[in-house]
Amino acid sequence: MTTTTPATDTTASRARGTGTTATRALGIATIVMLAWLVAFGLGFSPADRDQDEAVRIMYVHVPTVWVAYVALGVTALCSALYLFTKKHSLGFDRWAGASAEIAVVFMALTLVSGMLWGKITWGVYWAWDARLTSFALLFISTIGYLAVRSLGGSHQQRAKRSAIVGLLVVLEIPLVHWSVRLWNSLHQEPSVLDTDGDVSIDGLMLFSLFVGVIAFTLLYVWLLLHRTRSMAMADLLDDVGLDQALADRRAEGASS
């Protein structure tokens, strides 16, 4: 019969990392879908009648916006579950924090791709347009949420204050979404699915856009699973360090 030491357990844990069979399969599916997106977005999908080849930016721009909204929605949902359930599980807090981190990355991609698209279609990288400005405000607010998470205190204190801010940040999404119609915006209205249900886009373009949404959504889920597990490990290390510090202080008190 063999026994394992803590060092052996730590080494084995590091070797395994945060990956599982499911996440590896998800990663492969994500790579396949991203390759499919590149093939259709750059090859099979036709150029636009008005924007010509510049329309291909849409296959990155729109999916990143979608993922950013979904990620912030997950942050808000998990924040609410932490605040309003009896157990106040830190698992919900970690899901919320991990999703917000990923949202920031995808919002940055949205801003960069939007600026490139704006330079081609508007002639400038940035205009103080209602959609752009409100989205930039949402981006800054999400960074503020992450800054709140990094403040000192216990895990529960972090979770409580972060959950409150997370619920406030998500309220900005309707403002961003409807800014095109609320103000005289340079940004075009939805061309895929308008409020009247009309789809004003070529069929192959629509399919390529659908592939992009699926590919980036899979990427989001893959990142979320790994980041949540790494945050759980970080919290565990913090707890172990605190327990060790308390044990050292007790040992000092007993020896004095």
Side-chain angles (χ1 to χ4, degrees):
M1 181 177 179
T2 60
T3 60
T4 58
T5 64
T8 303
D9 292 338
T10 302
T11 303
S13 178
R14 289 176 180 174
R16 288 193 298 269
T18 60
T20 64
T21 302
T23 57
R24 293 185 186 96
L26 181 61
I28 293 172
T30 301
I31 292 172
V32 170
M33 291 301 297
L34 288 172
W36 196 358
L37 172 62
V38 170
F40 274 83
L42 298 180
F44 300 114
S45 178
D48 185 63
R49 179 189 61 190
D50 300 320
Q51 301 185 45
D52 198 35
E53 301 294 340
V55 74
R56 302 188 189 282
I57 300 177
M58 174 180 67
Y59 304 131
V60 172
H61 186 70
V62 174
T64 55
V65 175
W66 158 258
V67 172
Y69 286 170
V70 169
L72 288 179
V74 170
T75 295
L77 175 61
C78 292
S79 296
L81 289 173
Y82 172 81
L83 284 175
F84 303 120
T85 54
K86 293 182 179 180
K87 291 185 177 180
H88 301 296
S89 172
L90 286 174
F92 291 132
D93 171 65
R94 288 189 285 267
W95 282 96
S99 191
E101 290 180 2
I102 300 168
V104 165
V105 174
F106 277 91
M107 280 192 281
L109 292 173
T110 299
L111 288 171
V112 171
S113 60
M115 290 170 66
L116 294 174
W117 205 354
K119 178 62 176 178
I120 296 172
T121 57
W122 300 341
V124 293
Y125 286 110
W126 184 266
W128 290 105
D129 173 74
R131 170 60 65 82
L132 275 65
T133 305
S134 59
F135 192 85
L137 178 61
L138 179 63
F139 177 62
I140 294 171
S141 299
T142 309
I143 293 176
Y145 166 86
L146 296 179
V148 168
R149 291 188 62 85
S150 66
L151 298 177
S154 67
H155 298 330
Q156 294 293 346
Q157 290 172 331
R158 175 198 68 194
K160 184 175 181 180
R161 63 172 178 258
S162 301
I164 295 171
V165 176
L167 291 176
L168 293 175
V169 169
V170 79
L171 296 177
E172 296 180 31
I173 292 180
L175 176 65
V176 176
H177 183 73
W178 293 105
S179 59
V180 175
R181 293 194 171 183
L182 291 174
W183 294 281
N184 186 20
S185 175
L186 291 172
H187 196 284
Q188 69 182 56
E189 294 193 17
S191 57
V192 176
L193 185 60
D194 205 345
T195 53
D196 58 7
D198 292 335
V199 177
S200 54
I201 188 172
D202 176 81
L204 194 53
M205 286 183 177
L206 181 61
F207 179 76
S208 301
L209 189 58
F210 175 75
V211 171
V213 169
I214 296 299
F216 279 86
T217 301
L218 290 176
L219 178 60
Y220 161 72
V221 174
W222 184 83
L223 291 171
L224 182 64
L225 291 173
H226 281 283
R227 181 56 183 148
T228 303
R229 289 169 184 167
S230 66
M231 291 175 73
M233 292 178 182
D235 284 352
L236 180 59
L237 286 174
D238 287 342
D239 292 337
V240 170
L242 178 60
D243 292 341
Q244 184 62 46
L246 292 174
D248 291 342
R249 291 300 300 271
R250 293 192 188 100
E252 290 175 4
S255 61
S256 62

